Amino acid sequence: MVVLGIETSCDETSAAVVSGSADAVEQRSLVILSQDVHRIFGGVVPEIASRAHVSAIVSVVQQALREAAITLGDVDVIAVTNAPGLVGALLVGVSYAKGLAFGAGKKVLGVHHMEGHLFAQSLEFADAVPPFTALLVSGGHTLLVDVPAWGDYRVLGATRDDAAGEAFDKVAKLLGLPYPGGRHIERIAKGGDPARFRFARPMLRRNQQPGDDDYYDVSFSGLKTAVLHAVRASKDIEQDAPHIARGFQDALIETLAEKVYRAAEQHDRRRVVLGGGVACNQALVSAIKSRLADSAAEVYAPSVRLATDNAAMIARAGLFHAERGERDGWGLNAFATLPLSNSDQRSATSD
Ligand code: KG4
Ligand code: ZN
């Protein structure tokens, strides 16, 4: 089966082709056009994002087909992110995918963006397949998911306020670093002293029990406020910035690593899959690896291109659903929010 994937949920216009069957799936091409314009505004401006997707989508899709050395005629299904994300941005991809599919006599299939992130690592690592524990950490989401099988997603925990990437970006802003700030925090934290600023580990207590509602959940807004106080109290912010960044990153990372460890232990998983832009953070990846060192669990961290938003993961998730005979009708719509649900709850309609 050959699947063309399209992703426009936020500020990346992306298209990709994958082909294969079951877990033997090959990435044939991946084109990602990042919208740099948002840097000027210090965050993604939805209207600008939609317009940029409109300008780019046709050439991005053509390029993905060209790099895969195929034509639209060779494609079996067009998979497109239809939730969650910026609704105007999603609509560009959904409308274009529907038009393209209708014109070429192809089927269209809507894919949940977070389900795409769960599939990303399997394109790079043959063993990054269920059963596994997944931590998805991006600018918009922080999810801890137990995945016994593809299509079976048990959300164990989530953030109660800011997403992990959002916390990185806000703290970066407080420290005067450019947007998006995650990688800048990681860079300056390397030169920071971990003992200078020690922030409380959010939602982390030794006596938490598996049934407690904060056993897996996380929260970063208190940590962000603690950083704000540290910044305000600093007499020399230029000198303190690396130490504050280090203190913040250590607190966030230790919390996430512990929650991942708990999820893997409780469900007896031997594989841990990381996804989302924050999974590019090497300190986070090493902390999770060392927390899980005794349990002999393998930790899969994708490369930057597959960790951040991309259409290859959407095509890959689409292939799984397409192989099960799922298709969407021409009424396929975009949704700003939609919980990650199990496959059997999918309301795919056939046309
Ligand atoms: O997955 P992604 O590309 O887009 C969303 O769906 O949000 O994630 C972007 C987020 C941003 O918040 C960015 O600051 C963060 O990922 N990020 C990082 C690193 N690289 C990107 N956070 C921490 N450390 C990094 N190295
Ligand atoms: Zn994402």
Side-chain angles (χ1 to χ4, degrees):
M1 187 172 273
V2 179
V3 181
L4 167 67
I6 296 177
E7 153 69 39
T8 64
S9 69
C10 192
D11 58 346
E12 260 91 30
T13 315
S14 180
V17 174
V18 304
S19 65
S21 65
D23 282 332
V25 179
E26 185 198 354
Q27 180 184 312
R28 307 265 299 269
S29 68
L30 171 58
V31 179
I32 306 173
L33 190 69
S34 292
Q35 303 175 357
D36 279 349
V37 58
H38 304 287
R39 279 165 206 248
I40 305 168
F41 304 99
V44 179
V45 183
E47 181 61 23
I48 295 177
S50 308
R51 286 167 191 264
H53 286 309
V54 170
S55 326
I57 187 108
V58 177
S59 26
V60 165
V61 168
Q62 279 172 355
Q63 182 68 16
L65 292 171
R66 218 172 8 248
E67 283 183 16
I70 62 164
T71 65
L72 193 54
D74 302 316
V75 170
D76 294 300
V77 175
I78 300 177
V80 60
T81 310
N82 75 314
L86 301 169
V87 80
L90 286 164
L91 273 171
V92 176
V94 170
S95 310
Y96 185 67
K98 287 199 286 187
L100 202 61
F102 189 77
K106 304 293 175 185
K107 300 289 184 189
V108 71
L109 190 57
V111 172
H112 192 287
H113 180 82
M114 300 314 285
E115 184 179 19
H117 276 300
L118 291 173
F119 274 91
Q121 304 73 5
S122 72
L123 289 166
E124 281 183 306
F125 308 102
D127 292 335
V129 294
F132 60 68
T133 298
L135 175 70
L136 302 181
V137 271
S138 70
H141 296 274
T142 302
L143 281 184
L144 188 60
V145 193
D146 185 52
V147 183
W150 291 129
D152 188 355
Y153 309 124
R154 302 170 186 191
V155 177
L156 303 173
T159 178
R160 298 201 177 166
D161 37 62
D162 293 349
E166 198 179 352
F168 267 102
D169 294 341
K170 286 178 177 171
V171 165
K173 196 171 179 183
L174 291 175
L175 296 176
L177 298 166
Y179 170 87
R183 64 193 168 89
H184 299 288
I185 295 274
E186 179 174 18
R187 179 175 46 82
I188 70 166
K190 284 189 184 130
D193 176 352
R196 286 282 299 279
F197 291 86
R198 200 183 148 79
F199 300 109
R201 274 53 180 149
M203 308 271 280
L204 200 59
R205 287 178 292 107
R206 294 250 167 267
N207 55 359
Q208 283 166 318
Q209 297 297 324
D212 296 351
D213 60 1
D214 57 358
Y215 190 68
Y216 294 124
D217 275 354
V218 291
S219 156
F220 299 121
S221 77
L223 176 59
K224 184 189 63 195
T225 308
V227 171
L228 174 68
H229 289 312
V231 170
R232 284 195 179 144
S234 168
K235 296 201 170 52
D236 184 350
I237 191 60
E238 231 165 80
Q239 214 225 317
D240 285 342
H243 309 308
I244 294 176
R246 177 66 190 263
F248 158 77
Q249 186 175 269
D250 282 358
L252 183 141
I253 282 176
E254 192 180 315
T255 304
L256 288 175
E258 185 62 26
K259 305 261 160 162
V260 170
Y261 169 77
R262 289 175 179 179
E265 273 290 293
Q266 277 296 311
H267 300 87
D268 204 18
R269 301 293 178 223
R270 294 282 170 271
R271 294 168 190 162
V272 170
V273 154
L274 309 178
V278 183
C280 299
N281 187 297
Q282 289 311 307
L284 172 69
V285 176
S286 330
I288 292 175
K289 283 186 176 163
S290 59
R291 186 65 187 91
L292 287 156
D294 291 341
S295 60
E298 196 65 44
V299 178
Y300 300 94
S303 63
V304 173
R305 264 169 87 73
L306 288 173
T308 55
D309 291 350
N310 70 85
M313 66 185 197
I314 302 303
R316 176 66 188 87
L319 189 142
F320 163 74
H321 289 289
E323 280 198 316
R324 291 161 54 117
E326 295 170 32
R327 303 288 187 272
D328 281 297
W330 302 122
L332 177 69
N333 207 347
F335 301 95
T337 57
L338 187 74
L340 179 66
S341 59
N342 289 340
S343 277
D344 48 11
Q345 289 159 9
R346 252 183 85 94
S347 56
T349 49
S350 57
D351 46 327

